[in-house]
């Protein structure tokens, strides 16, 4: 899910997360480390939640797949996905394929010069739904 800055992507993610929790599903929220607040996902309208996993650019997420599967996670939600590396996006895809855990990524598609972010480009290449 992508859109321009200030178009409520993070608020939509947090609303989706709460809706899934209310329906009895288990979620995992992931965010990159270089976002504004290292541990929290915050929307401009005041919604806020601590991330379950914060990824640095060298961190692997695929290694968490077995843990997430064993913990019966029903959906992974990723904020600021444009800042993930191509390798991390590929690992999320492997989690979808190997563990059957859906992943929904929220973020910008391109920078102010209309250049795709590497993470966004890879998402556009491999996503099932955009």
């Amino acid at each position: 899910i992508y859109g321009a800055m200030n178009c409520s992507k993070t608020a939509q993610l947090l609303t989706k997360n709460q809706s899934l929790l209310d329906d009895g599903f288990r979620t995992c929220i992931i965010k990159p480390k270089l976002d504004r607040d290292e541990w929290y996902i915050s929307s401009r309208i005041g919604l806020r939640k601590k991330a379950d996993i914060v990824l640095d650019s060298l961190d692997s997420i695929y290694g968490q797949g077995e843990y997430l599967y064993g913990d019966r996670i029903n959906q992974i939600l990723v904020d600021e996905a444009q800042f993930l590396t191509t390798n991390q996006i590929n690992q999320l895809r492997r989690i979808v394929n190997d563990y059957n855990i859906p992943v929904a990524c929220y973020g910008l598609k391109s920078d102010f010069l209309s250049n795709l972010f590497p993470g966004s480009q890879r998402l556009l290449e491999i996503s099932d739904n955009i």
Side-chain angles (χ1 to χ4, degrees):
I1 298 164
Y2 69 90
M5 289 184 67
N6 300 324
C7 76
S8 77
K9 295 177 301 296
T10 298
Q12 289 177 44
L13 179 149
L14 293 171
T15 301
K16 174 71 172 177
N17 182 65
Q18 190 58 52
S19 176
L20 288 165
L21 294 174
D22 290 346
D23 289 341
F25 294 104
R26 296 185 62 142
T27 62
C28 175
I29 298 177
I30 298 173
K31 68 175 286 204
K33 193 172 192 174
L34 39 97
D35 189 27
R36 298 182 296 273
D37 185 342
E38 187 172 322
W39 291 103
Y40 285 86
I41 295 173
S42 304
S43 74
R44 286 178 176 78
I45 62 170
L47 301 174
R48 182 179 163 138
K49 179 152 179 55
K50 188 172 183 182
D52 298 302
I53 298 173
V54 177
L55 292 175
D56 201 354
S57 62
L58 299 176
D59 291 341
S60 171
I61 185 58
Y62 184 76
Q64 299 288 326
E66 189 171 334
Y67 159 77
L68 297 169
Y69 180 76
D71 204 24
R72 293 183 169 70
I73 297 298
N74 302 106
Q75 176 119 27
I76 296 170
L77 303 168
V78 181
D79 193 38
E80 302 290 359
Q82 74 271 10
F83 295 126
L84 296 182
T85 66
T86 300
N87 188 40
Q88 289 167 332
I89 299 298
N90 289 337
Q91 291 176 38
L92 287 170
R93 179 63 182 193
R94 286 184 61 203
I95 288 173
V96 171
N97 292 338
D98 295 350
Y99 297 103
N100 200 30
I101 302 172
V103 174
C105 295
Y106 295 73
L108 299 171
K109 182 175 76 169
S110 57
D111 65 17
F112 71 100
L113 296 172
S114 298
N115 297 312
L116 289 173
F117 288 99
S120 300
Q121 179 177 341
R122 188 65 184 141
L123 279 168
L124 290 168
E125 293 168 345
I126 65 172
S127 293
D128 294 325
N129 296 302
I130 298 173

